Structures are given as C-alpha cells and as structure tokens.
Amino acid sequence: QLGPAFGADARRPAGPVLQWVERLLKHTEGAGPSLATTSSSTSYTPAPSSSAVPAPTRRELARSALLALLSTNLDMVGVCLDKCYDADKAVATTYFQVLCEVYSTSSVTIEPHVLLSLIFYKLVDCQPEVREDALHVYHVLCMRAWGTAMPNALP
C-alpha cells in the first residue's frame, strides 16, 4: 500500500498540484508557449527529424499526472468528484475519465447515490467516450454496491 504522494498543502483543492493540472487542461493546444520553451527569452526548437518522438499533449500530461495523484491518494476522490462538474468541459471530462479509471481499478469507496448522480449527468454528455465511461462505471457500481450485473434497461 502506497502512502500519500504529497503533503496536505499540496493535496488541497486549491493547492499547487491541482492548480497546475487545471492550467494544463484549460490551456488550448497550439496557443501560448509550448512545453519545450525555457524561462529565458530564447527557446529551444529541435530540428525536424523523421524519427522524432512527439511530445505528449498538455491534456495527456495533465491526465497522466492526475491519474498518478488520485491512484496514490484515494482520499482525494471527493475533490475529483467535484471537478467532474466543472464549467470547463476539458477539466470536467478529464477528471471524470480519471475517476472512472481509478474507481474501476481500485477499492476506492464512493457513496452509490453520489456516483449514480454523476453517472446520470455524464450519460447525456456530447462526447461518446464520456458516455461509454459512464456506462462502464455504472456497471462497476452495480457489481460493487448491489452484486448484480447492469440491468438491460440502459442501452
């Protein structure tokens, strides 16, 4: 069992780690400085190469960091749940998808009525992958909370 990855200050909702993740998610790709720029006025631009490995996008980096953070700090699930309702779609979607992955692969406890409300909210999302994740976590919830497979009433 791993312990918390950060101290209490870094793990709070307005702490530096989650603020950094949120800034990455709210940043539109292609706008502003890239991840490769330095703090000085000069920036490093690698020469084009056919064998160059593309850098991860800011969203991928934020998702990976959030997944690692939540996987090692299961007590932060409440913060993650709240962010699933964020007004910024990129933030809400990423937090929801990370929450689905962590809930499906770990023994984190979430009150069934709280998770069910979130699932119903995400079932009408405009992105098909979010709807699929909602159905998947609904199935996991049914198995954990009630010991039954997903009813056939939902598509």
Side-chain angles (χ1 to χ4, degrees):
Q1 176 83 354
L2 293 174
F6 293 98
D9 185 53
R11 295 170 55 229
R12 61 188 173 85
V17 176
L18 292 178
Q19 283 183 345
W20 174 75
V21 167
E22 196 162 326
R23 280 194 310 271
L24 285 174
L25 290 171
K26 288 184 176 184
H27 183 275
T28 17
E29 294 297 326
S34 71
L35 291 176
T37 60
T38 62
S39 58
S40 66
S41 60
T42 61
S43 64
Y44 169 74
T45 306
S49 169
S50 62
S51 64
V53 177
T57 64
R58 290 176 188 261
R59 183 182 184 282
E60 291 168 339
L61 180 61
R63 187 184 189 291
S64 177
L66 187 59
L67 180 61
L69 178 67
L70 192 58
S71 296
T72 57
N73 297 279
L74 295 177
D75 59 320
M76 294 182 68
V77 74
V79 173
C80 193
L81 272 164
D82 291 343
K83 286 292 189 178
C84 292
Y85 295 100
D86 197 274
D88 187 296
K89 192 150 199 63
V91 172
T93 297
T94 302
Y95 272 84
F96 178 68
Q97 290 177 326
V98 166
L99 179 70
C100 289
E101 189 169 339
V102 170
Y103 184 78
S104 298
T105 60
S106 69
S107 60
V108 66
T109 303
I110 302 174
E111 291 292 326
H113 66 280
V114 172
L115 189 55
L116 199 54
S117 295
L118 178 60
I119 290 167
F120 287 152
Y121 178 72
K122 293 296 184 176
L123 277 175
V124 295
D125 195 274
C126 62
Q127 297 178 354
E129 50 279 345
V130 172
R131 294 191 304 264
E132 289 173 18
D133 288 341
L135 283 174
H136 173 73
V137 81
Y138 176 68
H139 177 72
V140 174
L141 173 65
C142 287
M143 293 302 292
R144 282 189 190 175
W146 302 291
T148 61
M150 184 169 58
N152 292 330
L154 288 175

